[in-house]
Amino acid sequence: MSATVRHAEQRDNPYALTHLDALESEAVHIFREVAGEFERPVVLFSGGKDSIVMLHLALKAFAPAPVPFSLLHVDTGHNFPEVLDLRDRTAARHGLRLHVAKVQDYIDDGRLRERPDGVRNPLQTVPLTDAIQAHRFDAVFGGGRRDEEKARAKERVFSLRDEFSQWDPRRQRPELWQLYNGRHAAGEHVRVFPLSNWTELDVWQYIAREEIELPEIYFAHEREVFNRNGMWLTAGEWGGPKSGEPVETRRVRYRTVGDMSCTGAVDSAATTLDSVITEIAASRLTERGATRADDKMSEAAMEDRKREGYF
Amino acid sequence: MSSTTSPLTAEQLSATTLLRFATAGSVDDGKSTLVGRLLHDSKSVLSDQLEAVERASLDRGQEAPDLALLTDGLRAEREQGITIDVAYRYFATARRRFILADTPGHVQYTRNMVTGASTAELAVVLVDARNGVVEQTRRHAAVAALLRVPHVVLAVNKMDLVDYAEPVFAAIAKEFTSYAASLGVPEITAIPISALAGDNVVEPSANMDWYGGPTVLEHLETVPVSHDLTDCPARFPVQYVIRPQTAEHHDYRGYAGQIASGLLRVGDPVTVLPSGRATTISGIDALGRSVDTAWAPQSVTLLLADDLDVSRGDLIAPSGSLPALTQDIRATVCHLHERPLRIGERVLLKHATRTVKAIVKALPYRIDLSHGLAHENEPAALEVNDIGAVQLRTAEPLPIDAYADARLTGAFVLIDPADGTTLTAGMAGEAFAEPAAAGDAADEEGWDF
């Protein structure tokens, strides 16, 4: 796109913003509200597409000054190396401090126990809440979107969490106009979701428009995978494949990246941003339905994890 | 019309605008079915979500998939079979993206509908064709009018149950339109539908050839996203001061914010409130690129010609059309919390980017939405879901507009200083707008046979 302001529906209304401009403007507003009202905000940053978009928005919100927040990543120990590489390069390029809380450390010293299925995503909650308390973060940005899951559809942009980081859906504050209420007691914090109103497709269109660099695993590539519960998982040190789970080479890409033990790849030929967008627009599966095992554990899996402090 | 069934191309997708709208309806008028159909027919319910709903419905012994399970996201909602809270849904067509505030029709409806309507540019009010305009319908119309939602759609549902009879629709549309117009709702579009059978939701109905207007989706796709800039003076609440203090940008001092209304140009004479100091705009950064003009709702950074003391909470406005500065605010409010609001209460008031102390000086009246907007004068307190008038005294002067003139700079919330609870939603000025000048015009715009 050119450097001029984009016009949509030019004929009817020269001042209508495109939906991406409207979403961008709203997200930037949210970042600036937090910068204006909180003492110690932090951005959850994994190197995945949603957190990369969040950081991009934060960079625009405060330019030409640096982003006034540090970054936090909860490393499950089962992350994709390409993603961690981009995480580190991005933080370094923008001169941002990156805190890393490691699930492995908690397993090594006995504070957490490995689950029999090897899935580490649910284990992230403890290191996350510990890090929030230890650093006394009072606002924690997450890339959660309301289109991801029906419990998330009920989430506020500013979501108050108690000292145990718990989410109580019945105690949520009503949120009107753009008047976000960030008041909290000592020990409490607020989770902030600037991408609340974005969909998966919006994120991809924005990545294409802004030419944002992503880890290669989001694009189709040949990979050795095996099938478990209908998902294509990558072989790795985390406990797969087991016997009876033959490995095959397939042309795949990832729609989400998280813990390798529960993030599945999808068959895909999409090697460019345009072809990814076309593929998602035609897909009959949601992002999480296609690729996340942890959401399938029960009907209320996401709500239950959110209540405990998960994003 | 079938544009919604085929995948969208990247080109189509990038040219779309965004419409935020809210639905209002009581328990059995078919709101879930309408929402379900809009989501389903626009391909926004994907197969894994449908499968999950089918699985859960079977587990409950239901034969057909219960579409309400798509929207009831919380365990307690599913257990009780009710919707507790506003949920936001997303769908898209080739022409537009939609954010739907799905507001539950249950007991707490006023609070929930106020929440959903506060960001909506359009509200869909559902009516059961067999029952016509009932108390609940009047309540929905009143809330849409109070919140000054620019467009209201009356969806007369279950037309299949009244033999698709034109006179039934015409009578309901006429009654609703004249009621809503009397409250000052600027634009009303009435559409006869059957959400269950699909008449006039996405596809035009073959059963109602007497109706020549748009389907619900067509109307949602084409209604103008309202930015009436010529009538709205610019308002720029300062959110954050950007001072890089780097060698490259040593003297840069920018005021970051989102334009709440109107349009700003480089060279415009502006005044900073509450200090009242005047200067001109020397530059506008629109997220990293320099522009000459910017308008609502863009997030931008303003550079000013003079070195003034400007900080978060200040408001920048064109020197020729400033809002009044006042410490005495009379407002219409909707009380949101179980804790009542009483005279003498000390609260925090958040207006735009500024939070000040305030005290409740008087409660002039409470509106009874269920009985033709009757006023109860000087109530003892405002209870949850009450709508009424409040007089507030603030600790510092605020540049506040009448909500009728500017939705964002006329709005505020009251917060409990003790625990941070959001108590009350406020709209400065009179409750309802003046009815549209020409009654005939409102009638004609009401529906389109």
Side-chain angles (χ1 to χ4, degrees), chain B residues 202-223:
Chain B
V202 173
E203 301 291 337
S205 169
N207 299 309
M208 292 180 275
D209 49 13
W210 46 264
Y211 172 76
T215 65
V216 173
L217 187 63
E218 251 183 283
H219 184 65
L220 293 173
E221 284 184 314
T222 52
V223 72

Side-chain angles (χ1 to χ4, degrees), chain B residues 181-245:
Chain B
S182 76
L183 298 172
V185 173
E187 194 197 287
I188 302 145
T189 304
I191 305 175
I193 67 167
S194 167
L196 195 65
D199 295 281
N200 288 337
V201 178
V202 173
E203 301 291 337
S205 169
N207 299 309
M208 292 180 275
D209 49 13
W210 46 264
Y211 172 76
T215 65
V216 173
L217 187 63
E218 251 183 283
H219 184 65
L220 293 173
E221 284 184 314
T222 52
V223 72
V225 179
S226 77
H227 300 295
D228 197 349
L229 294 157
T230 45
D231 288 349
C232 267
R235 298 287 183 256
F236 187 80
V238 176
Q239 279 190 287
Y240 191 76
V241 181
I242 293 177
R243 287 198 304 135
Q245 293 175 298

Side-chain angles (χ1 to χ4, degrees), chain A residues 6-269:
Chain A
R6 287 160 291 270
H7 290 213
E9 295 186 346
Q10 185 104 32
R11 199 167 46 88
D12 303 333
N13 182 354
Y15 300 115
L17 301 187
T18 67
H19 78 282
L20 285 182
D21 283 330
L23 291 172
E24 178 187 61
S25 178
E26 178 183 70
V28 163
H29 173 85
I30 292 162
F31 275 108
R32 290 167 168 178
E33 279 300 284
V34 171
E37 297 217 324
F38 290 82
E39 295 292 321
R40 295 177 62 81
V42 70
V43 179
L44 266 250
F45 187 74
S46 65
K49 68 179 189 311
D50 299 302
S51 64
I52 285 179
V53 165
M54 274 210 298
L55 181 59
H56 184 84
L57 289 160
L59 287 161
K60 287 184 104 170
F62 301 101
V67 172
F69 315 126
S70 57
L71 307 177
L72 170 65
H73 182 223
V74 181
D75 185 346
T76 62
H78 294 157
N79 287 295
F80 294 90
E82 303 92 323
V83 180
L84 294 185
D85 172 59
L86 184 56
R87 176 197 76 180
D88 293 341
R89 279 193 290 120
T90 307
R93 174 149 47 105
H94 300 296
L96 295 170
R97 183 165 172 207
L98 173 71
H99 309 272
V100 179
K102 292 187 170 161
V103 170
Q104 190 64 53
D105 292 347
Y106 282 70
I107 291 174
D108 290 347
D109 66 17
R111 284 177 289 170
L112 282 176
R113 196 174 306 163
E114 191 92 76
R115 296 160 50 102
D117 60 6
V119 171
R120 284 191 173 177
N121 238 24
L123 302 183
Q124 291 180 83
T125 303
V126 173
L128 169 65
T129 55
D130 280 0
I132 291 169
Q133 296 298 327
H135 293 283
R136 290 180 289 109
F137 293 127
D138 54 1
V140 184
F141 287 102
R145 308 188 317 263
R146 291 186 183 129
D147 79 320
E148 283 179 79
E149 210 277 340
K150 58 193 173 184
R152 281 212 167 133
K154 299 273 173 177
E155 178 76 86
R156 301 289 185 261
V157 174
F158 273 38
S159 177
L160 182 66
R161 303 299 175 102
D162 67 13
E163 58 189 308
F164 302 101
S165 291
Q166 297 179 116
W167 183 63
D168 182 352
R170 286 178 182 255
R171 236 188 99 205
Q172 296 197 91
R173 293 167 176 166
E175 216 158 59
L176 298 105
W177 299 288
Q178 292 157 29
L179 296 170
Y180 302 111
N181 176 358
R183 298 193 70 88
H184 59 283
E188 295 179 339
H189 70 277
V190 173
R191 298 277 171 95
V192 183
F193 301 99
L195 305 183
S196 284
N197 286 324
W198 297 51
T199 64
E200 182 187 14
L201 202 49
D202 296 329
V203 167
W204 278 102
Q205 285 182 264
Y206 189 72
I207 287 167
R209 186 183 97 173
E210 302 284 308
E211 300 175 345
I212 299 170
E213 184 189 0
L214 287 186
E216 282 303 314
I217 66 168
Y218 282 111
F219 301 96
H221 56 288
E222 300 267 325
R223 179 177 281 268
E224 291 202 330
V225 291
F226 64 93
N227 196 294
R228 181 179 291 173
N229 300 327
M231 287 197 317
W232 293 111
L233 299 177
T234 293
E237 290 171 9
W238 55 270
K242 292 174 185 159
S243 61
E245 293 176 330
V247 172
E248 53 183 290
T249 304
R250 296 184 78 89
R251 195 164 168 73
V252 295
R253 66 174 207 89
Y254 285 86
R255 282 174 74 175
T256 75
V257 296
D259 188 74
M260 285 171 101
S261 59
C262 61
T263 306
V266 292
D267 288 316
S268 172

Side-chain angles (χ1 to χ4, degrees), chain A residues 25 197 202 284 286 303-304, chain B residues 43 47-48 75 90 97 297:
Chain A
S25 178
N197 286 324
D202 296 329
R284 299 296 303 150
T286 64
E303 179 183 350
D304 292 345
Chain B
K43 202 191 76 85
S47 56
D48 54 314
R75 190 187 283 277
Y90 304 85
R97 292 307 188 90

Side-chain angles (χ1 to χ4, degrees), chain B residues 60-84:
Chain B
R60 286 174 171 72
Q62 293 161 316
E63 279 173 22
D66 180 358
L67 278 181
L69 292 176
L70 273 177
T71 52
D72 288 346
L74 301 176
R75 190 187 283 277
E77 292 178 321
R78 288 189 296 273
E79 282 164 5
Q80 298 172 39
I82 59 161
T83 312
I84 292 171

